[in-house]
Amino acid sequence: MPFLGQDWRSPGWSWIKTEDGWKRCDSCSQELQSENGQYTINHSIILNNGEEEIFNNECEYAAKKRKKEHFGTDTAAHSFYREKWIYVHKESTKERHGYCTLGEAFNRLDFSSAIQDIRRFTYVVKLLQLIAKSQLTSLSGVAQKNYFNILDKIVQKVLDDHQNPRLIKDLLQDLSSTLCILVRGVGKSVLVGNINIWICRLETVLSWQQQLQNLQMTKVNSGLTLSDLPLHMLNNILYRFSDGWDIVTLGQVTPTLYMLSEDRRLWKKLCQYHFAEKQFCRHLILSEKGHIEWKLMYFTLQKYYPTKEQYGDTLHFCRHCSILFWKDSGHPCTAADPDSCFTPVSPQHFIDLFKF
């Protein structure tokens, strides 16, 4: 019999055997389409009483089977998207066909909720920055919308709570530079989507940059401030920073903090944390008195070597299951000792997972 249907896995049309041969049962489909006001065919015209009962049973069975498959597929799809993990496969197998793309992973891992978590905020921003630099054209149309929607939420969050504006300024600067290159060289690059959409996105990014540039920090007039803390506590706060620009920014608040932020031992610790001793020797900077200028050393070395990345929470990769996931959310691991299979994934490693 012909195997007809919207999907090759569907049961196809229902057929009934009559004296004149096999005929297609059009009235079976009307049970599923009755809500749309479809008219029914009086099958008693072509069937006798004995065949009518068989016909009704077959139609009822076919309708139930189609409804079961329809709702079963919807349920599976919804439960899959609720899971905050994705199977990373780069080639086709007997069980899985196709491969996982960066855009698909970006859609499935729920970055919209991740930016609300202070532990994951810096991680997501760094990931968006890497995508803006090199992987923007590899995103599908849906992934592009998701990317800019998340970016919009991040900008609005910074404008509301005044936290981490420098990180977002750096991200938007890289993104605007990339968009300018793509828009100008539209004939030389592959852009997914209409050029006018990209121009609108560039204008939106420039508008975000202007809003952040005009951002004014609200001054707190009551309660305990940094000036009220003793020197050893202020010094302890500075030693907690892993970014030199954060130390410079905090040193601009008060003269006392500026004095503490210029401490040579503080910058020496920072250089030793991020860079190796061999790197010091290649870019040694001495003062007139023969002392090492550790602050200048840090910013000089930063131009030549990457600094250590530090995040409160990151994505993890299960080597046993080949699944990328947030550790708090977990994933259905089948290993005997799951924790031994987990590996933290840096933003650059995340990008490398989807390079083919």
Short mmCIF file of all heavy atoms in Angstrom, two decimals, residues 14-53:
data_model
loop_
_atom_site.label_atom_id
_atom_site.label_comp_id
_atom_site.label_asym_id
_atom_site.label_seq_id
_atom_site.Cartn_x
_atom_site.Cartn_y
_atom_site.Cartn_z
N SER A 14 -5.49 5.83 6.11
CA SER A 14 -6.24 4.62 6.47
C SER A 14 -7.01 4.13 5.25
O SER A 14 -7.63 4.93 4.52
CB SER A 14 -7.22 4.92 7.62
OG SER A 14 -6.51 5.29 8.78
N TRP A 15 -6.98 2.83 5.00
CA TRP A 15 -7.62 2.23 3.84
C TRP A 15 -8.60 1.16 4.29
O TRP A 15 -8.42 0.54 5.33
CB TRP A 15 -6.57 1.61 2.90
CG TRP A 15 -5.62 2.63 2.33
CD1 TRP A 15 -4.57 3.23 2.96
CD2 TRP A 15 -5.66 3.18 1.02
NE1 TRP A 15 -3.94 4.11 2.16
CE2 TRP A 15 -4.58 4.11 0.93
CE3 TRP A 15 -6.48 2.99 -0.09
CZ2 TRP A 15 -4.32 4.84 -0.23
CZ3 TRP A 15 -6.20 3.72 -1.25
CH2 TRP A 15 -5.14 4.63 -1.31
N ILE A 16 -9.64 0.95 3.48
CA ILE A 16 -10.67 -0.05 3.79
C ILE A 16 -10.92 -0.91 2.55
O ILE A 16 -10.90 -0.41 1.42
CB ILE A 16 -11.98 0.64 4.26
CG1 ILE A 16 -12.92 -0.38 4.87
CG2 ILE A 16 -12.60 1.41 3.13
CD1 ILE A 16 -12.43 -0.92 6.19
N LYS A 17 -11.10 -2.21 2.78
CA LYS A 17 -11.32 -3.12 1.66
C LYS A 17 -12.82 -3.22 1.37
O LYS A 17 -13.64 -3.49 2.24
CB LYS A 17 -10.78 -4.50 2.02
CG LYS A 17 -10.79 -5.48 0.84
CD LYS A 17 -10.12 -6.78 1.22
CE LYS A 17 -10.09 -7.74 0.02
NZ LYS A 17 -9.44 -9.02 0.36
N THR A 18 -13.19 -3.00 0.11
CA THR A 18 -14.58 -3.08 -0.33
C THR A 18 -14.69 -4.08 -1.48
O THR A 18 -13.69 -4.66 -1.91
CB THR A 18 -15.09 -1.71 -0.79
OG1 THR A 18 -14.36 -1.29 -1.94
CG2 THR A 18 -14.92 -0.67 0.32
N GLU A 19 -15.88 -4.25 -1.96
CA GLU A 19 -16.09 -5.19 -3.07
C GLU A 19 -15.38 -4.72 -4.34
O GLU A 19 -14.97 -5.52 -5.18
CB GLU A 19 -17.59 -5.36 -3.35
CG GLU A 19 -18.34 -6.02 -2.21
CD GLU A 19 -19.83 -6.14 -2.51
OE1 GLU A 19 -20.26 -5.61 -3.57
OE2 GLU A 19 -20.55 -6.75 -1.69
N ASP A 20 -15.21 -3.39 -4.46
CA ASP A 20 -14.56 -2.83 -5.64
C ASP A 20 -13.04 -2.70 -5.47
O ASP A 20 -12.36 -2.15 -6.34
CB ASP A 20 -15.14 -1.45 -5.97
CG ASP A 20 -16.63 -1.54 -6.28
OD1 ASP A 20 -17.04 -2.59 -6.82
OD2 ASP A 20 -17.36 -0.57 -6.00
N GLY A 21 -12.52 -3.16 -4.32
CA GLY A 21 -11.09 -3.05 -4.05
C GLY A 21 -10.83 -2.15 -2.84
O GLY A 21 -11.74 -1.80 -2.09
N TRP A 22 -9.56 -1.78 -2.65
CA TRP A 22 -9.17 -0.94 -1.51
C TRP A 22 -9.49 0.52 -1.80
O TRP A 22 -9.21 1.02 -2.90
CB TRP A 22 -7.68 -1.07 -1.22
CG TRP A 22 -7.31 -2.39 -0.59
CD1 TRP A 22 -6.94 -3.52 -1.24
CD2 TRP A 22 -7.30 -2.68 0.79
NE1 TRP A 22 -6.69 -4.53 -0.35
CE2 TRP A 22 -6.91 -4.03 0.93
CE3 TRP A 22 -7.60 -1.97 1.95
CZ2 TRP A 22 -6.79 -4.68 2.16
CZ3 TRP A 22 -7.46 -2.59 3.18
CH2 TRP A 22 -7.08 -3.92 3.28
N LYS A 23 -10.10 1.19 -0.82
CA LYS A 23 -10.41 2.61 -0.96
C LYS A 23 -9.90 3.37 0.27
O LYS A 23 -9.92 2.85 1.38
CB LYS A 23 -11.92 2.81 -1.11
CG LYS A 23 -12.47 2.29 -2.44
CD LYS A 23 -13.93 2.68 -2.61
CE LYS A 23 -14.45 2.20 -3.96
NZ LYS A 23 -15.86 2.58 -4.19
N ARG A 24 -9.45 4.59 0.02
CA ARG A 24 -8.92 5.40 1.11
C ARG A 24 -10.04 5.90 2.01
O ARG A 24 -11.08 6.35 1.54
CB ARG A 24 -8.14 6.59 0.56
CG ARG A 24 -7.26 7.28 1.60
CD ARG A 24 -6.37 8.31 0.95
NE ARG A 24 -7.15 9.47 0.52
CZ ARG A 24 -6.67 10.45 -0.22
NH1 ARG A 24 -5.44 10.39 -0.63
NH2 ARG A 24 -7.43 11.47 -0.55
N CYS A 25 -9.78 5.83 3.32
CA CYS A 25 -10.79 6.23 4.31
C CYS A 25 -10.57 7.71 4.63
O CYS A 25 -9.76 8.05 5.49
CB CYS A 25 -10.67 5.37 5.55
SG CYS A 25 -11.74 5.88 6.89
N ASP A 26 -11.29 8.59 3.95
CA ASP A 26 -11.14 10.02 4.19
C ASP A 26 -11.79 10.46 5.49
O ASP A 26 -11.40 11.46 6.08
CB ASP A 26 -11.76 10.83 3.05
CG ASP A 26 -10.98 10.65 1.76
OD1 ASP A 26 -9.77 10.38 1.86
OD2 ASP A 26 -11.58 10.76 0.67
N SER A 27 -12.76 9.71 5.98
CA SER A 27 -13.48 10.15 7.18
C SER A 27 -12.68 9.92 8.44
O SER A 27 -13.04 10.42 9.49
CB SER A 27 -14.81 9.41 7.28
OG SER A 27 -14.61 8.02 7.34
N CYS A 28 -11.57 9.15 8.37
CA CYS A 28 -10.73 8.97 9.56
C CYS A 28 -10.07 10.28 9.97
O CYS A 28 -9.94 10.59 11.14
CB CYS A 28 -9.65 7.92 9.30
SG CYS A 28 -10.28 6.23 9.35
N SER A 29 -9.65 11.02 8.95
CA SER A 29 -8.98 12.28 9.26
C SER A 29 -9.93 13.32 9.83
O SER A 29 -9.50 14.24 10.52
CB SER A 29 -8.31 12.84 8.00
OG SER A 29 -9.29 13.08 7.01
N GLN A 30 -11.21 13.18 9.57
CA GLN A 30 -12.16 14.18 10.07
C GLN A 30 -12.29 14.11 11.58
O GLN A 30 -12.67 15.09 12.21
CB GLN A 30 -13.52 14.00 9.38
CG GLN A 30 -14.26 12.70 9.66
CD GLN A 30 -15.12 12.79 10.92
OE1 GLN A 30 -15.51 13.88 11.30
NE2 GLN A 30 -15.40 11.65 11.53
N GLU A 31 -11.96 12.98 12.20
CA GLU A 31 -12.02 12.91 13.66
C GLU A 31 -10.99 13.82 14.29
O GLU A 31 -11.20 14.38 15.35
CB GLU A 31 -11.80 11.46 14.11
CG GLU A 31 -12.93 10.53 13.71
CD GLU A 31 -12.79 9.18 14.38
OE1 GLU A 31 -12.03 9.09 15.36
OE2 GLU A 31 -13.44 8.23 13.95
N LEU A 32 -9.83 13.95 13.62
CA LEU A 32 -8.80 14.84 14.14
C LEU A 32 -9.04 16.29 13.75
O LEU A 32 -8.52 17.20 14.37
CB LEU A 32 -7.42 14.40 13.59
CG LEU A 32 -6.92 13.03 14.03
CD1 LEU A 32 -5.62 12.69 13.33
CD2 LEU A 32 -6.77 12.96 15.53
N GLN A 33 -9.86 16.51 12.69
CA GLN A 33 -10.08 17.86 12.20
C GLN A 33 -11.49 18.36 12.49
O GLN A 33 -11.93 19.35 11.93
CB GLN A 33 -9.84 17.91 10.69
CG GLN A 33 -8.42 17.51 10.30
CD GLN A 33 -8.25 17.41 8.80
OE1 GLN A 33 -9.24 17.52 8.05
NE2 GLN A 33 -7.03 17.21 8.35
N SER A 34 -12.22 17.68 13.37
CA SER A 34 -13.60 18.05 13.63
C SER A 34 -13.70 19.43 14.26
O SER A 34 -14.68 20.15 14.08
CB SER A 34 -14.26 17.02 14.55
OG SER A 34 -13.53 16.91 15.76
N GLU A 35 -12.63 19.84 15.01
CA GLU A 35 -12.65 21.15 15.65
C GLU A 35 -12.58 22.27 14.62
O GLU A 35 -12.93 23.41 14.90
CB GLU A 35 -11.48 21.26 16.63
CG GLU A 35 -11.58 20.31 17.79
CD GLU A 35 -10.41 20.46 18.74
OE1 GLU A 35 -9.53 21.29 18.44
OE2 GLU A 35 -10.39 19.77 19.76
N ASN A 36 -12.08 21.97 13.45
CA ASN A 36 -11.99 22.97 12.39
C ASN A 36 -13.25 23.03 11.54
O ASN A 36 -13.28 23.71 10.51
CB ASN A 36 -10.78 22.67 11.50
CG ASN A 36 -9.50 22.75 12.27
OD1 ASN A 36 -9.38 23.50 13.21
ND2 ASN A 36 -8.50 21.95 11.87
N GLY A 37 -14.28 22.26 11.92
CA GLY A 37 -15.54 22.32 11.20
C GLY A 37 -15.53 21.55 9.90
O GLY A 37 -16.28 21.91 8.98
N GLN A 38 -14.71 20.50 9.78
CA GLN A 38 -14.69 19.71 8.57
C GLN A 38 -15.98 18.89 8.47
O GLN A 38 -16.47 18.35 9.46
CB GLN A 38 -13.47 18.79 8.57
CG GLN A 38 -12.13 19.52 8.56
CD GLN A 38 -11.90 20.18 7.22
OE1 GLN A 38 -12.46 19.73 6.21
NE2 GLN A 38 -11.13 21.24 7.20
N TYR A 39 -16.44 18.75 7.25
CA TYR A 39 -17.66 17.97 7.07
C TYR A 39 -17.30 16.49 7.09
O TYR A 39 -16.18 16.10 6.81
CB TYR A 39 -18.34 18.34 5.74
CG TYR A 39 -17.52 18.01 4.53
CD1 TYR A 39 -17.62 16.77 3.90
CD2 TYR A 39 -16.64 18.95 4.00
CE1 TYR A 39 -16.86 16.47 2.79
CE2 TYR A 39 -15.88 18.67 2.88
CZ TYR A 39 -15.99 17.43 2.28
OH TYR A 39 -15.23 17.12 1.17
N THR A 40 -18.27 15.65 7.43
CA THR A 40 -18.07 14.21 7.50
C THR A 40 -18.71 13.54 6.30
O THR A 40 -19.68 14.02 5.73
CB THR A 40 -18.71 13.65 8.79
OG1 THR A 40 -20.09 13.95 8.77
CG2 THR A 40 -18.06 14.26 10.01
N ILE A 41 -18.09 12.40 5.93
CA ILE A 41 -18.61 11.61 4.82
C ILE A 41 -19.46 10.48 5.38
O ILE A 41 -19.05 9.79 6.30
CB ILE A 41 -17.45 11.03 3.99
CG1 ILE A 41 -16.61 12.18 3.42
CG2 ILE A 41 -17.95 10.15 2.88
CD1 ILE A 41 -15.40 11.71 2.68
N ASN A 42 -20.62 10.31 4.84
CA ASN A 42 -21.51 9.23 5.28
C ASN A 42 -21.00 7.91 4.69
O ASN A 42 -21.29 7.56 3.56
CB ASN A 42 -22.94 9.52 4.82
CG ASN A 42 -23.93 8.54 5.41
OD1 ASN A 42 -23.54 7.68 6.21
ND2 ASN A 42 -25.18 8.67 5.03
N HIS A 43 -20.19 7.19 5.49
CA HIS A 43 -19.56 5.98 4.98
C HIS A 43 -20.54 4.83 4.82
O HIS A 43 -20.22 3.83 4.21
CB HIS A 43 -18.43 5.56 5.92
CG HIS A 43 -18.87 5.45 7.35
ND1 HIS A 43 -18.77 6.51 8.21
CD2 HIS A 43 -19.43 4.44 8.03
CE1 HIS A 43 -19.21 6.15 9.41
NE2 HIS A 43 -19.62 4.89 9.32
N SER A 44 -21.78 4.98 5.38
CA SER A 44 -22.77 3.90 5.23
C SER A 44 -23.23 3.75 3.78
O SER A 44 -23.81 2.74 3.40
CB SER A 44 -23.98 4.16 6.13
OG SER A 44 -24.60 5.39 5.78
N ILE A 45 -22.92 4.80 2.97
CA ILE A 45 -23.31 4.73 1.56
C ILE A 45 -22.51 3.66 0.84
O ILE A 45 -23.00 2.96 -0.04
CB ILE A 45 -23.12 6.09 0.90
CG1 ILE A 45 -24.02 7.13 1.56
CG2 ILE A 45 -23.37 6.04 -0.61
CD1 ILE A 45 -23.83 8.53 1.02
N ILE A 46 -21.21 3.53 1.22
CA ILE A 46 -20.35 2.59 0.51
C ILE A 46 -20.12 1.31 1.28
O ILE A 46 -19.44 0.41 0.79
CB ILE A 46 -18.99 3.24 0.19
CG1 ILE A 46 -18.29 3.67 1.49
CG2 ILE A 46 -19.16 4.44 -0.73
CD1 ILE A 46 -16.89 4.19 1.27
N LEU A 47 -20.63 1.23 2.53
CA LEU A 47 -20.40 0.04 3.35
C LEU A 47 -21.73 -0.54 3.80
O LEU A 47 -22.70 0.18 4.01
CB LEU A 47 -19.57 0.38 4.59
CG LEU A 47 -18.16 0.97 4.34
CD1 LEU A 47 -17.54 1.34 5.67
CD2 LEU A 47 -17.29 -0.02 3.59
N ASN A 48 -21.72 -1.86 3.97
CA ASN A 48 -22.89 -2.48 4.56
C ASN A 48 -22.74 -2.50 6.07
O ASN A 48 -21.74 -2.05 6.63
CB ASN A 48 -23.10 -3.90 4.00
CG ASN A 48 -21.84 -4.75 4.19
OD1 ASN A 48 -21.16 -4.60 5.19
ND2 ASN A 48 -21.56 -5.62 3.24
N ASN A 49 -23.73 -3.05 6.79
CA ASN A 49 -23.73 -3.00 8.25
C ASN A 49 -22.56 -3.76 8.85
O ASN A 49 -22.00 -3.35 9.86
CB ASN A 49 -25.05 -3.57 8.77
CG ASN A 49 -26.23 -2.70 8.41
OD1 ASN A 49 -26.06 -1.50 8.22
ND2 ASN A 49 -27.42 -3.30 8.29
N GLY A 50 -22.18 -4.87 8.25
CA GLY A 50 -21.09 -5.66 8.82
C GLY A 50 -19.75 -4.97 8.70
O GLY A 50 -18.91 -5.03 9.60
N GLU A 51 -19.54 -4.33 7.56
CA GLU A 51 -18.26 -3.68 7.34
C GLU A 51 -18.16 -2.35 8.06
O GLU A 51 -17.09 -1.84 8.34
CB GLU A 51 -18.05 -3.46 5.84
CG GLU A 51 -17.87 -4.76 5.06
CD GLU A 51 -17.83 -4.51 3.57
OE1 GLU A 51 -18.46 -3.52 3.13
OE2 GLU A 51 -17.20 -5.29 2.85
N GLU A 52 -19.33 -1.76 8.39
CA GLU A 52 -19.32 -0.45 9.04
C GLU A 52 -18.69 -0.51 10.43
O GLU A 52 -17.93 0.38 10.82
CB GLU A 52 -20.76 0.07 9.14
CG GLU A 52 -20.84 1.48 9.72
CD GLU A 52 -22.26 2.00 9.70
OE1 GLU A 52 -23.13 1.31 9.13
OE2 GLU A 52 -22.49 3.08 10.26
N GLU A 53 -18.96 -1.59 11.18
CA GLU A 53 -18.38 -1.73 12.51
C GLU A 53 -16.87 -1.86 12.44
O GLU A 53 -16.13 -1.26 13.24
CB GLU A 53 -19.00 -2.94 13.21
CG GLU A 53 -18.52 -3.10 14.65
CD GLU A 53 -19.19 -4.28 15.33
OE1 GLU A 53 -20.08 -4.91 14.69
OE2 GLU A 53 -18.83 -4.56 16.48
#
